[in-house]
Amino acid sequence: MSKKIKILIVEDEPAICNFLYTSLKMNGYYPLVAKNGKEALSMIPSHCPDLVLLDLGLPDIDGIQILEELRHWFNTPIIIVSARGQEEEKVCALDMGADDYITKPFGIPELLARVRSSLRRSMKSSLPSGQNEIFRLKDLTIDFAKRTVTLAGEEVHLTQIEYKIVSLLAKSAGRVLTYDHMITEIWGPYAIKDNQILRVNMANIRRKLEKNPAEPQYIHTEVGIGYRMIAE
Ligand code: CA
């Protein structure tokens, strides 16, 4: 019995499919392939993959529809693979429960980093709560129980909202959170979806956390989509 991590590639373009298949196999994963949406939906229950790479542009069923279908009963990480310029679709996919996205064309190191980070998160979230009460990233430490943020041992004074934003991103480190998702989490479901207030807060957070706010090393902006706290 193979104990390798199973990754289902859902992709109709043979060239990309082969590229993904070979790269994953060479890096110790056990890849499986579905060439369309129907195949994907029938393979998932029988093969139980540990992660799914889902192309949004499939010939039979729209990728977003597949995602919607899967999220009713399937908790495994899903990484969306999409073309450049499909920001709206990516946002929609992330809000519907995709874990991450990767934009074509991409390199193997980027793909593998996304895969590792999604798998790590899905393993962590299956641990009992309370095991991740301290978040550490480079000089940044967040103590969720004490609600304190320190940078190289020095306490950083954040407003309540700033703390909420930083801890929200840290709890999903490595994952991009959409503007709408963040606004709902921080200000509640009835808040007006205005990205400006998020931007203003982020500028203040960066002034407090980043050595050079123009080149952030903790929180990256995903243009047109949202923000991501880096994971390592
Ligand atoms: Ca395609």
Side-chain angles (χ1 to χ4, degrees), residues 167-217:
S167 59
L168 178 67
L169 286 162
K171 282 177 180 166
S172 299
R175 177 173 186 180
V176 51
L177 300 184
T178 65
Y179 299 122
D180 281 6
H181 174 82
M182 292 180 69
I183 291 169
T184 306
E185 288 290 316
I186 290 157
W187 287 281
Y190 304 109
I192 297 164
K193 300 285 188 285
D194 175 9
N195 302 344
Q196 187 55 28
I197 184 158
L198 206 50
R199 259 184 233 127
V200 169
N201 276 285
M202 193 56 72
N204 292 332
I205 291 168
R206 282 184 172 144
R207 251 197 306 279
K208 294 176 186 182
L209 295 188
E210 305 280 1
K211 274 190 196 120
N212 176 6
E215 277 176 46
Q217 52 167 333

Side-chain angles (χ1 to χ4, degrees), residues 52 54 56 67 78-82 90 93 98 100-103:
V52 177
L54 176 65
L56 285 182
L67 188 66
I78 300 173
I79 302 179
I80 295 300
V81 179
S82 72
K90 284 177 213 162
D100 207 345
Y101 69 89
I102 188 158
T103 306

Side-chain angles (χ1 to χ4, degrees), residues 11-164:
E11 173 67 70
D12 61 313
E13 281 168 66
I16 297 174
C17 204
N18 290 340
F19 165 74
L20 287 171
Y21 185 90
T22 316
S23 323
L24 291 171
K25 197 166 178 145
M26 270 171 42
N27 284 280
Y29 295 104
Y30 174 22
L32 296 158
V33 172
K35 291 186 292 297
N36 55 50
K38 260 198 193 137
E39 256 183 44
L41 290 174
S42 79
M43 280 175 82
I44 287 168
S46 49
H47 292 275
C48 299
D50 300 293
L51 184 140
V52 177
L53 290 174
L54 176 65
D55 174 27
L56 285 182
L58 292 168
D60 55 346
I61 314 174
D62 184 55
I64 295 281
Q65 223 177 307
I66 295 180
L67 188 66
E68 193 175 13
E69 173 83 17
L70 287 179
R71 275 301 177 236
H72 288 307
W73 49 271
F74 183 70
N75 273 325
T76 298
I78 300 173
I79 302 179
I80 295 300
V81 179
S82 72
R84 210 168 280 279
Q86 293 182 313
E87 266 62 30
E88 243 171 76
E89 260 190 326
K90 284 177 213 162
V91 168
C92 176
L94 291 164
D95 282 338
M96 282 183 55
D99 288 78
D100 207 345
Y101 69 89
I102 188 158
T103 306
K104 295 176 195 172
F106 49 82
I108 309 212
E110 191 189 354
L111 169 75
L112 295 174
R114 292 280 204 276
V115 165
R116 277 196 308 270
S117 143
S118 288
L119 287 169
R120 217 171 21 235
R121 264 197 314 275
S122 83
M123 275 158 62
K124 252 194 201 166
S125 64
S126 61
L127 290 175
S129 61
Q131 299 227 352
N132 308 311
E133 283 189 2
I134 307 263
F135 172 85
R136 287 193 181 87
L137 175 65
K138 299 179 189 174
D139 285 341
L140 177 68
T141 305
I142 305 172
D143 186 325
F144 296 118
K146 292 184 189 153
R147 296 175 69 91
T148 55
V149 176
T150 54
L151 203 55
E154 293 279 314
E155 183 157 1
V156 182
H157 296 282
L158 298 177
T159 65
Q160 284 238 22
I161 294 290
E162 288 164 6
Y163 174 78
K164 275 193 178 182

